[in-house]
Amino acid sequence: MLDHRYAQIRARTLALAEPLSEADCQAQSMPDASPVKWHLAHTTWFFETFVLERHEPGFRPHDPAFRVLFNSYYNGIGEQHPRPQRGLITRPGLAEVKAYRAAVDARMAARLAATPGDRGLTALVELGLQHEQQHQELILTDLLHLLSVHPGSPVYQPADAGPDAAPGVPGWLPFDGGLVEVGHTGDGFAFDNEGPRHRQFLRPYALGRRLVTQGEWAQFVADGGYREPRWWLSSGWDFVRTQRLEAPLYWRPDGTVFTLHGCVARDPDRPVLHLSLYEADAYARWWSAQHPRQPPARLPTEFEWEHAAAGPQLQQRFDPAWQWTASAYAPYPGFRAWDGAVGEYNAKFMVNQYVLRGGSRATPAGHSRVSYRNFFPAEARWQFSGLRLAHDVD
Ligand SMILES: [Fe+2]
């Protein structure tokens, strides 16, 4: 069962790289984004370091140099190659990285066959698979940024010929709030940052039935939203001015938007993507000024989102965009990080970041859940990040 799941998820990662050249897999377009080749190696390093090194008798590393090259941020493991310079790791080449994957996969298959009921092993393998799925999404977000800076607007994948999901229905969904329970529950996998389950008090609130659309965002742009300081938080206004922002990332002046399918016409009924928290927050303030008879709009808190998403009414929960919340990424009451070096997975990033909820079109199927907490700094725009408005109900 787990061996089958392992093989499937690992194969999916390789399939994502299949349409790409070695040069595509090598390049790094900005410090926050990693090369595809690095993702392929790092996810393998994770299994080698956290599973094989502990559970394989007579363990020997595939290549001792990989321990530093493909360590992302685990100080408990040791030194790391600097993230902004991952694109400069020209050796090993792509073929050697694929051979590294195959070698670790064979050793992992042997381990799973030798000790199928080992709970410690099983838990680490599951964590490695969840980690691999997170990197599958990062491969796509990082690749999209890389291709976006190419003047030829390359196509990664032809557009899907199948029917797209129906656009959402506008309007508001009211919730009573009260003392509610949030956080992961049940026996399935969850990251440490999703617990413990605990109570939060919510005032009555309403959430937008659907995400803010490209058509609505175009009105914000046309109304000078990016040039009017009163809509923006102070650091957001600095960000807009220093970066000379005029529209969401990947919007082009000719009315198209750059996607993994190349440049496509903007669709006014589809959600706007690739927003920073600053843009999402500014839009809410602008929207409120346009609708003076309605309660002021704001970003939802992560607890409002989770409470609403646990019920059946909320549209566009896990697709097509991660949804910014007003909640700072912080530990829940009673939080305990995982023991050992894997405790660095989430806990040490609980500062200067905001929580996004939901999932995106780049998230592997079945990977997200209502208690899932994604997190990024307020200025991050290269993820598939969108916006759902909220307001207080008096
Ligand atoms: Fe990672």
Side-chain angles (χ1 to χ4, degrees):
M1 184 75 178
L2 189 59
D3 54 347
H4 183 65
R5 189 169 138 73
Y6 178 94
Q8 267 193 330
I9 291 174
R10 294 281 287 170
R12 171 71 187 146
T13 312
L14 272 185
L16 292 174
E18 196 52 42
L20 303 173
S21 70
E22 171 132 21
D24 290 334
C25 293
Q26 176 65 47
Q28 178 171 21
S29 54
M30 65 166 174
D32 283 341
S34 299
V36 172
K37 187 179 82 179
W38 187 90
H39 286 295
L40 295 176
H42 163 71
T43 48
T44 306
W45 169 93
F46 194 94
F47 284 109
E48 185 184 33
T49 305
F50 290 114
V51 181
L52 293 179
E53 193 169 319
R54 295 167 191 199
H55 288 271
E56 185 180 57
F59 169 84
R60 292 183 64 173
H62 181 84
D63 183 328
F66 291 3
R67 191 176 176 85
V68 174
L69 285 178
F70 302 123
N71 178 3
S72 50
Y73 52 66
Y74 295 90
N75 295 319
I77 300 298
E79 292 294 308
Q80 303 120 39
H81 184 81
R83 178 166 155 149
Q85 293 166 25
R86 288 173 181 167
L88 303 180
I89 303 173
T90 52
R91 301 176 188 194
L94 184 59
E96 290 163 275
V97 166
K98 287 183 175 176
Y100 176 42
R101 289 183 70 88
V104 166
D105 287 348
R107 291 164 68 176
M108 286 292 298
R111 273 305 86 210
L112 287 168
T115 51
D118 184 323
R119 288 179 62 179
L121 174 75
T122 302
L124 282 173
V125 173
E126 184 58 40
L127 174 61
L129 293 176
Q130 298 284 340
H131 172 255
E132 182 109 6
Q133 289 187 312
Q134 290 185 319
H135 278 274
Q136 288 173 358
E137 176 151 3
L138 292 172
I139 283 174
L140 294 176
T141 57
D142 295 358
L143 178 66
L144 177 60
H145 189 268
L146 173 69
L147 298 180
S148 79
V149 298
H150 191 292
S153 300
V155 173
Y156 167 65
Q157 274 176 330
D160 198 332
D164 209 349
V169 178
W172 297 94
L173 269 177
F175 295 90
D176 292 338
L179 199 57
V180 305
E181 291 213 332
V182 294
H184 180 71
T185 183
D187 297 330
F189 175 86
F191 288 106
D192 55 0
N193 62 10
E194 295 170 61
R197 192 164 172 85
H198 66 284
R199 288 178 296 180
Q200 289 279 341
F201 182 75
L202 305 181
R203 295 174 57 195
Y205 68 102
L207 289 189
R209 287 183 179 271
R210 58 152 169 76
L211 306 191
V212 172
T213 64
Q214 297 173 35
E216 290 166 333
W217 201 273
Q219 294 174 28
F220 173 62
V221 174
D223 195 44
Y226 282 85
R227 299 191 299 272
E228 175 50 63
R230 69 184 154 142
W231 310 135
W232 297 83
L233 294 168
S234 173
S235 49
W237 183 239
D238 290 344
F239 179 62
V240 165
R241 285 198 300 175
T242 56
Q243 302 292 313
R244 297 194 169 94
L245 302 189
E246 296 178 347
L249 188 62
Y250 305 136
W251 279 31
R252 302 273 165 96
D254 63 358
T256 64
V257 55
F258 185 72
T259 73
L260 289 170
H261 314 308
C263 272
V264 300
R266 291 204 300 261
D267 183 338
D269 294 328
R270 304 289 172 188
V272 58
L273 303 176
H274 302 294
L275 304 174
S276 60
L277 172 98
Y278 290 133
E279 290 162 282
D281 174 84
Y283 179 87
R285 213 164 284 112
W286 171 83
W287 187 94
S288 304
Q290 314 309 307
H291 300 83
R293 294 172 181 276
Q294 297 199 39
R298 56 173 173 77
L299 299 185
T301 69
E302 64 168 320
F303 304 120
E304 289 171 336
W305 191 95
E306 182 170 333
H307 179 60
Q313 305 148 287
L314 202 66
Q315 304 172 77
Q316 298 178 329
R317 283 191 306 172
F318 300 121
D319 182 63
W322 291 98
Q323 298 159 44
W324 282 109
T325 76
S327 300
Y329 178 50
Y332 286 172
F335 169 73
R336 282 188 58 186
W338 286 321
D339 290 334
V342 290
E344 294 184 55
Y345 199 113
N346 287 309
K348 70 181 187 181
F349 301 108
M350 290 176 171
V351 65
N352 295 338
Q353 312 218 46
Y354 286 84
V355 174
L356 299 99
R357 293 302 197 106
S360 85
R361 59 186 53 173
T363 310
H367 177 70
S368 197
R369 54 193 158 264
V370 293
S371 60
Y372 200 105
R373 305 174 81 200
N374 201 350
F375 51 90
F376 280 94
E379 64 271 20
R381 309 173 86 208
W382 90 110
Q383 296 298 306
F384 289 84
S385 48
L387 163 65
R388 184 192 299 275
L389 292 175
H391 68 69
D392 295 327
V393 174
D394 294 322

